[in-house]
Amino acid sequence: MEWALVNGLRTKAEKSGTVGVCPGCGGEVRAKCGEIVSWHWAHINADCDPWSEPETEWHRKWKGYFPADWQEVTKPPHRADVAGPDGVLEIQRSGISPEEIREREQFYGRMAWLLNGHDFWENLEWIKAAGDYHEFRWKHARKAWITANRTIFIDTPLGLFRVKNIRDGSWKVVCGSFVKASSLMQSLDASGKTNASMGLLLYDSLAESEREDLIAKANDLHGLYCKYTSLCGAAGRYALPPRWRDFHTAHQFIRKVEPQYVVSVRNYYEGEMQLLSRQIEEKEKENLRIRLEHEERMREKMKKRAEIQVEMAKARDAQQAVNRAANERIAAAMMARGVKWQ
């Protein structure tokens, strides 16, 4: 517990042994400010909230992104991690059962979950990227979350991921999109009167920068491969599968391999494209040579055909002249004999 009442004021634990009052049950709590565990208040007797769990620095960091009066809000007999005017955010890192998930969702009503994706980021395999929509295969999935009915957000090294759904099958697939963490303020306060904290804005800025850099590199690599396949088609060559086929997407490939290997793959495709471009250029030159030769042969044929037609016309005219001369001689001879020539 991070907050307790001291002299009627909400106060964080600052000195070991200080006694305060739990805002929920009114019982006494004592400040524990050691060197190992985060400073906190502990009930002198049993904690009044049966859902209470030990908190990590990750919990504290996320709670600290919200206004102090939104943190550890008492909703008897429980304490909501973060509660704004229009909803509750449960910050969850430890394991939880489907029954507990249903119980909390029914109790709080309008709420959302925030999971620490840093713990299982390596088990999320990026299998689809289509614009703002992404799919991750969740290896060794925490299956209890399939039963959740409220919105789930996952804090990842690339920013806040809003889960649209978790497909249950031979693969557990997390589907959704990356969103601004500052939008959490709007979901907890629909009036928009509460501005996002500097911590949330900084979180968004850093995460978005890293995410956009990775996605840009992945899109660039995928685009390079598309050009390679197009050139293969033009060159009449079979396009080899992408070098990242074992990773499903270029995004997952860039996540998992060393940057030097990404550079080598880029160099490979660029080299292949230069080779293909030269082959296509040579092929085009050869096709042009063949076409020109064909056209030259056709011109020669047409020329010879024209010459033959001229010769045939001359021969026809000569024959016709011979025929006319013969007819004239016959007509003259017959007229000399007094025979009428018809």
Side-chain angles (χ1 to χ4, degrees):
M1 202 168 97
E2 194 172 1
W3 295 90
L5 296 176
V6 178
N7 298 324
L9 299 176
R10 279 169 57 88
T11 308
K12 289 187 176 184
E14 295 178 348
K15 183 179 179 181
S16 289
T18 303
V19 175
V21 175
C22 172
C25 66
E28 288 189 338
V29 291
R30 181 174 286 113
K32 304 227 173 175
C33 306
E35 297 181 2
I36 300 176
V37 179
S38 299
W39 292 4
H40 63 284
W41 297 94
H43 281 76
I44 293 177
N45 297 314
D47 197 315
C48 61
D49 185 357
W51 293 347
S52 176
E53 299 169 340
E55 289 188 338
T56 63
E57 286 300 324
W58 176 79
H59 285 88
R60 296 289 182 89
K61 178 189 74 174
W62 272 98
K63 285 199 301 184
Y65 287 154
F66 299 93
D69 57 348
W70 287 19
Q71 301 173 30
E72 294 186 0
V73 176
T74 300
K75 293 183 176 290
H78 302 293
R79 288 188 305 275
D81 290 328
V82 176
D86 298 301
V88 166
L89 180 67
E90 277 288 271
I91 302 172
Q92 192 71 27
R93 182 180 184 182
S94 57
I96 189 171
S97 68
E99 293 75 18
E100 290 175 305
I101 290 174
R102 284 193 292 271
E103 188 178 1
R104 296 195 194 186
E105 290 182 343
Q106 291 171 1
F107 179 79
Y108 289 126
R110 186 171 178 178
M111 66 160 294
W113 298 94
L114 175 63
L115 310 185
N116 186 356
H118 296 264
D119 288 347
F120 52 86
W121 180 238
E122 292 303 314
N123 292 333
L124 290 177
E125 185 178 0
W126 215 329
I127 61 173
K128 184 175 182 179
D132 293 334
Y133 177 80
H134 304 275
E135 291 185 359
F136 293 88
R137 176 191 176 190
W138 194 355
K139 295 186 291 185
H140 313 299
R142 300 178 180 181
K143 300 177 183 178
W145 292 111
I146 297 173
T147 65
N149 292 314
R150 301 293 185 265
T151 301
I152 298 174
F153 294 95
I154 303 177
D155 172 26
T156 78
L158 296 181
L160 195 66
F161 188 79
R162 187 181 190 276
V163 177
K164 182 178 180 181
N165 68 294
I166 302 177
R167 292 206 302 269
D168 188 12
S170 56
W171 284 9
K172 304 298 182 287
V173 179
V174 180
C175 313
S177 56
F178 288 98
V179 298
K180 288 186 177 295
S182 52
S183 64
L184 287 173
M185 302 295 292
Q186 298 173 358
S187 64
L188 298 178
D189 183 6
S191 69
K193 294 179 180 179
T194 309
N195 295 323
S197 67
M198 186 58 68
L200 279 179
L201 294 175
L202 183 60
Y203 171 92
D204 279 337
S205 176
L206 294 175
E208 190 171 5
S209 175
E210 185 172 352
R211 182 173 69 249
E212 288 183 350
D213 180 61
L214 186 150
I215 291 176
K217 289 179 180 177
N219 290 341
D220 180 58
L221 191 60
H222 182 72
L224 198 63
Y225 177 73
C226 290
K227 292 178 182 177
Y228 159 76
T229 57
S230 177
L231 288 174
C232 282
R237 269 185 51 184
Y238 171 72
L240 297 173
R243 289 293 185 92
W244 56 85
R245 61 180 174 178
D246 294 336
F247 296 87
H248 297 286
T249 62
H251 300 68
Q252 179 71 5
F253 173 74
I254 289 178
R255 269 186 62 196
K256 290 292 186 178
V257 303
E258 293 294 329
Q260 294 84 349
Y261 186 56
V262 176
V263 172
S264 71
V265 170
R266 279 190 58 85
N267 292 339
Y268 167 78
Y269 283 123
E270 288 174 350
E272 285 293 300
M273 287 168 61
Q274 290 177 0
L275 177 62
L276 288 167
S277 295
R278 287 196 295 270
Q279 291 176 352
I280 292 170
E281 185 179 355
E282 292 172 0
K283 185 177 180 181
E284 289 175 347
K285 288 180 179 179
E286 179 64 17
N287 290 339
L288 178 61
R289 183 188 65 78
I290 293 172
R291 186 173 71 252
L292 291 175
E293 288 180 353
H294 175 72
E295 290 175 353
E296 183 63 27
R297 286 194 300 270
M298 292 302 295
R299 281 194 295 270
E300 288 295 325
K301 286 182 179 180
M302 294 297 292
K303 182 179 178 181
K304 288 181 180 180
R305 183 178 296 177
E307 291 174 350
I308 291 172
Q309 289 175 345
V310 169
E311 291 298 325
M312 289 177 66
K314 289 179 179 179
R316 185 172 60 250
D317 292 343
Q319 184 62 45
Q320 289 175 352
V322 170
N323 292 340
R324 282 195 300 270
N327 289 336
E328 289 173 355
R329 287 195 300 273
I330 293 172
M334 293 184 72
M335 288 178 66
R337 294 178 183 179
V339 179
K340 187 178 180 180
W341 173 257
Q342 296 182 350

